[in-house]
Amino acid sequence: MTARRTRPAPRPPEGTPPRTELARQARTVLADAVRIARWAADGTQPGSAALAAQVLERASETLALPPGQILAGWDRARLAGLVELHGDTVRPGWRLRAWDRDDSAVLRGWVALFDAWSLVHVAPEGVEPTAVAEAIEAVPQVLSLLQLSAGPVAVPVLLDLLAQRVAELHEERCEVPYADGERPGAGRPDDAAAPGRSEDLNALLLDWALEGLAAVGALTLEPGHATLTPLGNWAVWVKLEQICVAAQSPAGNIEQSAADMLLGCARLTPGPARDEYRAWIAARTVGSAVTELLTVARGEDALLRGLAFEALRVVGAPAEPEVRAQLQHPSLRPYALLWLAEYDGMDPDDAQEILSRAEATWLWVDTAAAVADHGETGLLVRHLDSAVQGTVPALLDEVRAVGHPRTVQVLVALAAAHPDPALAKAMRRAAFQVHTGDPSA
């Protein structure tokens, strides 16, 4: 029974501030961006990626900020998702609307800015784009070392790591270094740092990366060393956890809503689907994930209802109280009963036995509705064989009595799909009886 439950939600490293404090720090980093976003999203400012000169001047006068600070804040507001550009109109993003009351929205906005550090800080002039891209690709290794060190790290150590990672990237791409004399201009000692890459260039790009990360509040720079801020330390830890949990997430549903994520998993086999569920859950707090999944389950889409409870099986113990509370919800009761039975160690094949006849029939209709909406005709016909009733007449009698809101649609779909004219006629008649409320019709 213990082996069936998933691991508890990981805890941040010791010393990590609580989320409320992290959100406060993120609000401080993005304070100018929020002010500019609120000014720009009042519906009167033109929507463009770059602020026009007259708009910049007006913003500077209204907000009492220098133009350079306005431009930097506007750039951050867009990267953090605080504003949305719709043609000629600037609208507040959902994070801006939730900024003062939702710490999760604040932290996600800051993480979006953190992810875009290379856009916040312009790359050095005269450097080949390929070299810049390699430095960006090497930065996660640098951040990991900073996070694991839990304190200041000397810049030369970071430079060695970046050079090593760049060399590995060249090796992975089969870019073998030239031997001395084989390449024009070869023979310089600094060519050993990486194929076609000098130590001076690595140092220049490392300085650029550290300055860019400092600009978004991820680290602090002192002469000769760098240190992650609490925000930066937390963000790197979150991303490392996501890599550990979600490396097997091929479908890329982590940032989707619960409904979109579940739809994206609908055609996956059970193993890959569970990997997607784990990845999605790992990217948010367990409580918010459970709440969002149950909200979807209470909706009208029967397919999403079933998939939501499959995702909740991945959550395990933290979801148990909320799932148990759903026993009072008629449309969720059969799903909750099966979830709790499996959570307590019952074999899934035997768990159906805990459902009453009416609950099993309701679940059969709900599953049929999911198949009718999203499945194939043949699968809907085969679904008849899974009913607990031994005959179609008995099934129709109990389906009429169970009161599922999709009963009529399910019976009509079955009648249209079934190859037996007599059974199809019986199903159409049952659908008409349920629709009119007249059992003798």
Side-chain angles (χ1 to χ4, degrees), residues 42-377:
D42 65 358
T44 63
Q45 311 307 324
S48 61
L51 292 179
Q54 65 272 22
V55 177
L56 177 61
E57 182 180 354
R58 189 160 62 249
S60 181
E61 293 176 355
T62 304
L63 301 175
L65 295 173
Q69 197 169 345
I70 294 288
L71 288 174
W74 172 245
D75 197 34
R76 293 176 180 220
R78 291 188 297 110
L79 293 172
L82 299 176
V83 292
E84 298 174 357
L85 303 182
H86 297 266
D88 294 331
T89 306
V90 182
R91 295 178 186 170
W94 71 269
R95 286 172 182 153
L96 183 62
R97 293 193 294 269
W99 195 255
D100 294 329
R101 56 180 171 76
D102 189 338
D103 288 346
S104 293
V106 173
L107 290 173
R108 289 197 182 195
W110 182 82
V111 168
L113 180 67
F114 169 68
D115 288 340
W117 68 266
S118 61
L119 301 178
V120 172
H121 196 56
V122 179
E125 293 184 5
V127 179
E128 289 291 333
T130 300
V132 174
E134 289 169 350
I136 293 171
E137 197 169 347
V139 160
Q141 296 263 27
V142 173
L143 289 170
S144 295
L145 176 60
L146 285 164
Q147 199 268 341
L148 291 171
S149 300
V153 178
V155 170
V157 174
L158 299 177
L159 180 59
D160 287 344
L161 179 60
L162 182 136
Q164 178 183 343
R165 179 56 184 150
V166 169
E168 290 172 353
L169 291 172
H170 282 248
E171 185 177 350
E172 291 168 4
R173 295 164 187 158
C174 299
E175 297 177 8
V176 181
Y178 290 100
D180 284 353
E182 292 183 2
R183 183 183 57 196
R188 294 171 298 178
D190 58 12
D191 283 341
R197 174 67 62 85
S198 71
E199 289 184 4
D200 288 343
L201 179 55
N202 281 334
L204 176 65
L205 289 171
L206 176 64
D207 289 344
W208 165 69
L210 294 178
E211 290 167 1
L213 290 164
V216 299
L219 54 80
T220 57
L221 291 174
E222 298 291 340
H225 66 263
T227 309
L228 285 178
T229 64
L231 267 178
N233 187 69
W234 168 80
V236 175
W237 171 80
V238 167
K239 291 183 181 298
L240 289 173
E241 277 296 315
Q242 289 177 3
I243 290 171
C244 294
V245 177
Q248 303 175 49
S249 174
N253 291 298
I254 293 175
E255 289 298 326
Q256 302 296 323
S257 67
D260 290 340
M261 180 273 294
L262 293 172
L263 283 175
C265 296
R267 295 193 177 276
L268 296 178
T269 54
R274 283 191 294 270
D275 291 337
E276 287 295 300
Y277 301 151
R278 291 190 185 96
W280 185 87
I281 293 162
R284 45 198 40 82
T285 63
V286 174
S288 65
V290 171
T291 298
E292 194 171 346
L293 288 169
L294 287 173
T295 299
V296 171
R298 285 190 286 269
E300 297 181 356
D301 194 320
L303 175 66
L304 295 185
R305 188 160 25 254
L307 292 175
F309 275 86
E310 288 299 319
L312 288 167
R313 284 177 173 83
V314 172
V315 177
E320 189 267 341
E322 291 298 323
V323 172
R324 192 173 297 280
Q326 306 312 309
L327 295 174
Q328 307 304 316
H329 197 294
S331 66
L332 301 188
R333 179 177 173 82
Y335 293 98
L337 285 170
L338 293 177
W339 190 98
L340 292 167
E342 293 180 34
Y343 172 76
D344 289 335
M346 185 177 291
D347 189 279
D349 292 335
D350 299 330
Q352 296 281 344
E353 299 175 0
I354 69 169
L355 299 181
S356 68
R357 185 84 163 205
E359 289 163 350
T361 303
W362 196 100
L363 183 60
W364 184 91
V365 177
D366 206 47
T367 305
V371 176
D373 288 343
H374 301 278
E376 299 174 356
T377 299

